[in-house]
């Protein structure tokens, strides 16, 4: 059966979204995201490397545990799976081009319907990969990262790479191979592992030690395969503390870094941090960024936020300029994201049912983050924040403090110094002053 492609316009009446500046009244324009504007030596486009999430934007229909979907997609009507996938690709590349994002990200099953027969599914993924390759060439849009969905199919109810049944692990491997092949063919800059069901609900039935070892074994197996087949990009792990499982092995940045170190995977991996997952782990987003950056592992971001009143993954578009300004300051300081970008793993609310809503959502998110980048640049130029932070630790720069950080002092030496110096003077942490300072730049 032949598939028709590239014939329809889905977002009629909406043209290229342009930068019009902060004073613009046009709801379909950027106020802060000006892709060519140079900030700290690079264009905004290069700094932010925005990516559109295929799953939420073109697949997610707004279904929730209390009712079916409310988003009725005109590209989701053909009866043949391949035709439906081709129509969705038309819509996706039209949207990504109109919004002006340089990248996209996808799971295998977002691109085309899954199938329980690994051969048929593999063929489907190859079919859509060819279409993506053509669309990328025509539009200039690039693949930020690909991934395999190893959590929706019912065979993964007890996990994928950490499943107690080896036959399920083999199926996970088959799916990973297909998704890695697609990512390599499409020149993906990264490959993401988000371990949706790599965790457990009860220790009464779980051998955690074996499951974690098997998880690491699968990562090694994938790295070996991908490198042997020419993958040049970076591997990312996306931490999340819970949901769908109660205890997820990739709890947060610190846990994942420890895991990668334990199993000798650090050099191949970076972290893909999600704002919402930080919230669920009881951390601020800036905390996760700092932990990752200090370990040289801050590589990529999923920009969706949660809700401080709701304890689940609400996947909302970013709006909090303060939250992002703190994070962008950390990203700027490390010289940008290491190998990744900023992916909107975010969805419109169930009742946001107009086609324009998808544009408003992304425009708002891109503007929030662009604004944060400008604030971070201003903060860095002003220098007061950095100066105050450095001053707070000045006692380690010379004298006995410097000897200590150089590892030259013993516990007896600390005793002698304590007796000599007497009670240290109080030094204010100046938190409110610094919060006011941040407020001035916002
Ligand atoms: C789910 C995750 C997921 C990953 C990709 O909470 O955020 O969407 O980003 O599998
Ligand atoms: Ni995510
Ligand atoms: Ni998430």
């Amino acid at each position: 059966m032949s598939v028709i492609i590239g014939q329809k316009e889905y977002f009629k009446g909406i043209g290229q979204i342009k930068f019009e500046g902060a004073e613009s009244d046009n709801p379909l324009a950027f106020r802060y995201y000006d892709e060519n504007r140079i900030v700290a030596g690079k264009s905004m486009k290069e700094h932010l490397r925005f990516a559109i999430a295929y799953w939420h934007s073109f697949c997610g229909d707004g279904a929730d545990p209390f009712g079916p979907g409310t988003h009725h997609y005109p590209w989701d009507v053909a009866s043949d799976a391949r035709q439906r996938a081709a129509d969705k690709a038309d819509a996706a590349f039209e949207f990504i081009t109109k919004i002006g994002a340089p990248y996209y990200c996808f799971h295998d099953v977002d691109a085309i319907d899954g199938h329980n027969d690994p051969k048929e599914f593999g063929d489907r993924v190859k079919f859509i990969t060819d279409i993506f390759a053509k669309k990328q060439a025509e539009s200039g849009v690039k693949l930020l990262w690909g991934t395999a969905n190893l959590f929706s199919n019912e065979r993964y109810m007890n996990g994928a790479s950490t499943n107690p049944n080896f036959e399920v692990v083999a199926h996970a491997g088959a799916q990973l191979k297909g998704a890695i092949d697609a990512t390599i063919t499409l020149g993906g800059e990264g490959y993401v592992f988000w371990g949706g069901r790599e965790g457990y609900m009860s220790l009464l039935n779980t051998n955690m030690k074996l499951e974690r070892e098997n998880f690491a074994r699968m990562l090694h197996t994938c790295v070996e395969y991908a490198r042997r087949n020419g993958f040049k990009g970076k591997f990312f792990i996306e931490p999340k503390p819970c949901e769908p499982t109660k205890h997820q092995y990739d709890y947060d940045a610190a846990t994942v870094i420890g895991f990668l170190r334990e199993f000798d995977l650090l050099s191949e991996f970076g972290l893909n941090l999600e704002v919402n997952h930080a919230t669920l782990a009881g951390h601020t987003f800036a905390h996760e960024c700092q932990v990752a950056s200090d370990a040289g592992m801050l590589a990529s971001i999923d920009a969706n936020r949660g809700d401080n009143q709701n304890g689940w993954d609400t996947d909302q578009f970013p709006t909090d300029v303060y939250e992002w300004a703190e994070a962008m300051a950390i990203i700027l300081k490390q010289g940008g994201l290491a190998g990744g970008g900023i992916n909107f793993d975010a969805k419109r609310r169930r009742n946001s049912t107009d086609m324009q809503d998808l544009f408003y959502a992304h425009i708002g998110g891109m503007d929030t983050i662009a604004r944060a980048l400008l604030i971070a640049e201003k903060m860095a130029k002003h220098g007061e924040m950095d100066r105050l932070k450095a001053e707070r630790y000045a006692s380690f720069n010379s004298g006995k403090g410097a000897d200590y950080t150089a590892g030259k002092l013993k516990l007896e030496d600390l005793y002698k110094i304590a007796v000599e110096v007497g009670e240290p003077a109080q030094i204010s942490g100046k938190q409110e002053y610094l919060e006011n300072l941040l407020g001035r730049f916002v």
Side-chain angles (χ1 to χ4, degrees), residues 39-40 47 327-336 373 376-378 380:
V39 181
H47 269 288
M328 283 310 311
I330 296 164
I331 295 169
L332 259 194
K333 208 152 277 167
Q334 71 159 35
L373 175 64
E377 185 197 32
K378 265 195 258 168

Side-chain angles (χ1 to χ4, degrees), residues 55-56 194 238-240 243 274 276-277 280 302 304 313-315 345:
W55 52 106
H56 288 309
W194 170 62
E238 182 175 326
K240 184 175 181 180
E243 197 200 337
E274 180 165 307
N276 201 158
H277 298 174
L280 292 175
D302 273 7
N304 45 307
D313 206 358
T314 57
D315 288 332
D345 184 1

